């Protein structure tokens, strides 16, 4: 049955009444909407405008040019999307369809859907945690739990590499099964395979755990000689990280601090872990190879400082 904007209230969800009333006032003549998709688009637009008034952290939409089959309406302005090809853009994470020009006005309220988020590795960290409604990526939690359960006394923990084919096997298990992936001792007896899978996860992130935007501030902190000023700058740098990145970094540093408590057995102190994790967690935004090479010593120092001062900084 076709609905109009002026039908009885039973067709108007209460949360959208005020917006539909506004449309009635602005329209010179009653306009019938005979397509359910268009009515849904109007409702979505009302929700988007409502969300614009709520000041909270949101994820940016991952819009890509898209060719739609059949008639489609923009889910922001509710107008028809004209053309035969590339009529608009579609969010690869949540599926929102809008005009290209409307995409600049859509609020950063992407709520990733698991049917669009196909992988765990190589997936944006914020996208992954929002899609699975978790504080941190499940691969980080599961690997750290397994390592702390049976690997803290393993000599050369994180420094010694596991068999690369089995590390890839763990990666595929997480991509395929998510939190149901089996990384227990029955499947992978060598703990270095699990540490290798965790390091690979961080290396595969499209945006590093310590993001490109925050990178210069972290490097700046490593160059400061005064200890108090150094920690203050490092604390300011942490504030530049997206919440999901900061929470994951906090959890990882607390884990690495516990690793150093077993230094007599595993021979891994904060300096050694900094050498391993510096280039893993940080990547220079500079394309100049020499500049990136010069930053390696500061990357190591940043991670070392984060581990040693984990209880103060987070």
């Amino acid at each position: 049955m076709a609905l109009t904007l002026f039908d009885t209230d039973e067709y108007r969800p209460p949360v959208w009444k005020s917006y539909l009333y506004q449309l009635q006032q602005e329209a010179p003549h009653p306009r019938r909407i005979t397509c359910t998709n268009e009515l849904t688009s109007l409702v979505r637009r009302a929700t988007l405008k409502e969300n614009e008034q709520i000041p909270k952290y949101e994820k940016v939409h991952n819009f890509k040019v898209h060719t739609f089959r059949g008639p489609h309406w923009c889910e922001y302005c509710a107008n028809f999307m004209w053309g035969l090809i590339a009529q608009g853009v579609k969010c690869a994470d949540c599926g929102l369809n809008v005009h290209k020009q409307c995409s600049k006005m859509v609020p950063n309220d992407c709520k990733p859907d698991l049917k669009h988020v196909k992988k765990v590795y190589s997936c944006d960290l914020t996208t992954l945690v929002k899609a699975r409604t978790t504080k941190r990526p499940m691969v980080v939690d599961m690997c750290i739990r397994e390592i702390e359960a049976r690997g803290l006394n393993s000599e050369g923990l994180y420094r010694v590499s596991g068999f690369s084919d089995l590390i890839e096997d763990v990666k595929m298990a997480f991509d395929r099964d998510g939190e149901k992936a089996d990384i227990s001792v029955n499947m992978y007896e060598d703990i270095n395979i699990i540490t290798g899978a965790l390091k690979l996860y961080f290396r595969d992130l499209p945006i590093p755990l310590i993001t490109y935007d925050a990178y210069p501030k972290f490097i700046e902190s490593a160059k400061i000689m005064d200890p108090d000023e150094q920690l203050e700058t490092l604390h300011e740098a942490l504030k530049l990280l997206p919440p999901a990145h900061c929470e994951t970094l906090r959890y990882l540093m607390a884990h690495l601090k516990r690793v150093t408590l077993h230094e007599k057995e595993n021979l891994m102190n904060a300096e050694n872990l900094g050498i391993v994790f510096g280039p893993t967690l940080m990547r220079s935004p500079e394309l100049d190879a020499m500049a990136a090479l010069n930053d390696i010593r500061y990357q190591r120092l940043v991670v070392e400082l984060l581990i040693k001062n984990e209880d103060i900084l987070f």
Side-chain angles (χ1 to χ4, degrees):
M1 179 180 69
L3 305 179
T4 74
L5 289 178
F6 301 92
D7 278 333
T8 59
D9 280 356
E10 64 180 298
Y11 298 118
R12 304 180 193 172
V15 70
W16 302 315
K17 277 186 179 179
S18 59
Y19 182 67
L20 295 181
Y21 176 76
Q22 180 185 345
L23 287 179
Q24 292 173 3
Q25 298 300 107
E26 292 175 354
H29 301 288
R31 179 168 65 92
R32 294 186 64 82
I33 300 179
T34 58
C35 178
T36 305
N37 285 346
E38 187 171 0
L39 184 57
T40 304
S41 298
L42 289 170
V43 166
R44 183 67 173 269
R45 182 187 173 193
T47 307
L48 290 175
K49 287 186 173 295
E50 198 173 65
N51 288 342
E52 284 179 327
Q53 302 170 0
I54 306 172
K56 60 180 181 179
Y57 168 76
E58 295 288 0
K59 179 190 174 303
V60 178
H61 286 276
N62 182 19
F63 285 121
K64 297 183 184 301
V65 175
H66 191 78
T67 295
F68 299 95
R69 294 182 179 180
H72 270 74
W73 282 259
C74 174
E75 294 183 55
Y76 182 79
C77 71
N79 289 323
F80 187 72
M81 301 174 81
W82 296 96
L84 298 176
I85 60 171
Q87 304 98 321
V89 293
K90 182 186 186 81
C91 178
D93 297 330
C94 72
L96 181 69
N97 306 318
V98 296
H99 289 114
K100 186 176 181 180
Q101 61 269 30
C102 289
S103 67
K104 300 172 184 177
M105 297 177 283
V106 174
N108 299 333
D109 64 345
C110 179
K111 296 177 177 61
D113 191 324
L114 281 177
K115 69 181 180 182
H116 297 292
V117 180
K118 304 293 185 184
K119 298 187 297 183
V120 172
Y121 280 69
S122 303
C123 176
D124 173 69
L125 191 148
T126 301
T127 299
L128 185 65
V129 297
K130 286 182 74 69
R132 295 184 176 270
T133 322
T134 57
K135 290 177 68 175
R136 298 172 296 272
M138 102 286 290
V139 60
V140 175
D141 283 9
M142 290 175 64
C143 285
I144 286 178
R145 281 199 301 268
E146 194 66 27
I147 292 163
E148 295 197 352
R150 59 184 173 99
L152 288 178
N153 293 329
S154 178
E155 186 175 328
L157 189 67
Y158 285 113
R159 179 178 56 80
V160 177
S161 299
F163 189 46
S164 59
D165 285 356
L166 291 178
I167 292 173
E168 280 294 323
D169 201 34
V170 174
K171 172 183 175 179
M172 288 189 290
F174 275 116
D175 283 340
R176 182 182 63 248
D177 305 324
E179 61 274 1
K180 295 180 181 178
D182 184 3
I183 59 171
S184 67
V185 66
N186 296 327
M187 285 294 293
Y188 305 101
E189 185 177 353
D190 183 5
I191 196 63
N192 298 312
I193 294 168
I194 308 303
T195 60
L198 180 61
K199 289 186 293 182
L200 180 62
Y201 171 76
F202 288 121
R203 285 198 302 271
D204 278 0
L205 284 174
I207 300 174
L209 186 60
I210 293 178
T211 61
Y212 295 121
D213 289 341
Y215 183 91
K217 195 70 173 178
F218 277 95
I219 295 297
E220 178 190 334
S221 70
K223 296 178 179 179
I224 297 172
M225 302 303 295
D226 180 69
D228 292 336
E229 186 182 348
Q230 188 176 58
L231 284 181
E232 186 178 340
T233 306
L234 199 52
H235 190 261
E236 290 173 4
L238 287 169
K239 294 178 181 177
L240 300 176
L241 294 176
H245 284 245
C246 192
E247 167 57 24
T248 304
L249 183 63
R250 180 201 66 78
Y251 189 73
L252 177 63
M253 292 303 113
H255 161 65
L256 296 180
K257 184 73 170 283
R258 290 190 289 274
V259 170
T260 64
L261 298 179
H262 295 258
E263 180 188 346
K264 286 185 178 180
E265 292 79 22
N266 60 38
L267 306 181
M268 296 300 290
N269 56 24
E271 183 180 354
N272 291 336
L273 290 169
I275 293 171
V276 173
F277 276 95
T280 301
L281 305 181
M282 306 177 70
R283 295 199 294 273
S284 172
E286 297 290 335
L287 296 177
D288 183 10
M290 282 305 298
L293 196 62
N294 289 333
D295 279 355
I296 289 179
R297 57 176 173 161
Y298 298 116
Q299 293 172 355
R300 172 193 63 77
L301 187 55
V302 165
V303 175
E304 183 181 341
L305 288 168
L306 288 170
I307 295 171
K308 288 181 175 178
N309 300 282
E310 169 267 332
D311 54 337
I312 300 172
L313 291 168
F314 295 98

